[in-house]
Amino acid sequence: MTAAWLVPAREPVEILDRVTVVDGEHVVASRPLPYGSGLTARDVALRALGFERVDEWRDAGNGALRATVRPL
């Protein structure tokens, strides 16, 4: 199963949230979100990585969100 994770920034090391696509335990693609971006930026970033979301973003704990995705 391919999943996308919205990982919140870990300040002070990172200042941007990141969308990461994972297939099993392997990172397929990853992209930072623009600073201060809104909710639609998640899906825009996924499309730029060549994926689309097939279900809703769900809480994954520690501020992260998770959704199932598929290639475009």
Side-chain angles (χ1 to χ4, degrees):
M1 174 175 49
T2 305
W5 295 80
L6 174 66
V7 181
R10 305 277 190 243
E11 294 184 22
V13 177
E14 299 173 316
I15 61 168
L16 300 176
D17 294 343
R18 176 172 292 276
V19 171
T20 301
V21 178
V22 179
D23 188 7
E25 294 183 12
H26 303 284
V27 173
V28 178
S30 187
R31 180 184 195 118
L33 294 175
Y35 185 77
S37 57
L39 298 177
T40 58
R42 302 170 190 167
D43 292 328
V44 171
L46 278 175
R47 292 188 71 76
L49 292 170
F51 293 88
E52 67 181 348
R53 184 169 47 87
V54 296
D55 61 9
E56 296 300 315
W57 289 102
R58 297 179 305 279
D59 181 19
N62 293 327
L65 299 173
R66 181 186 177 286
T68 304
V69 297
R70 65 176 170 220
L72 292 174

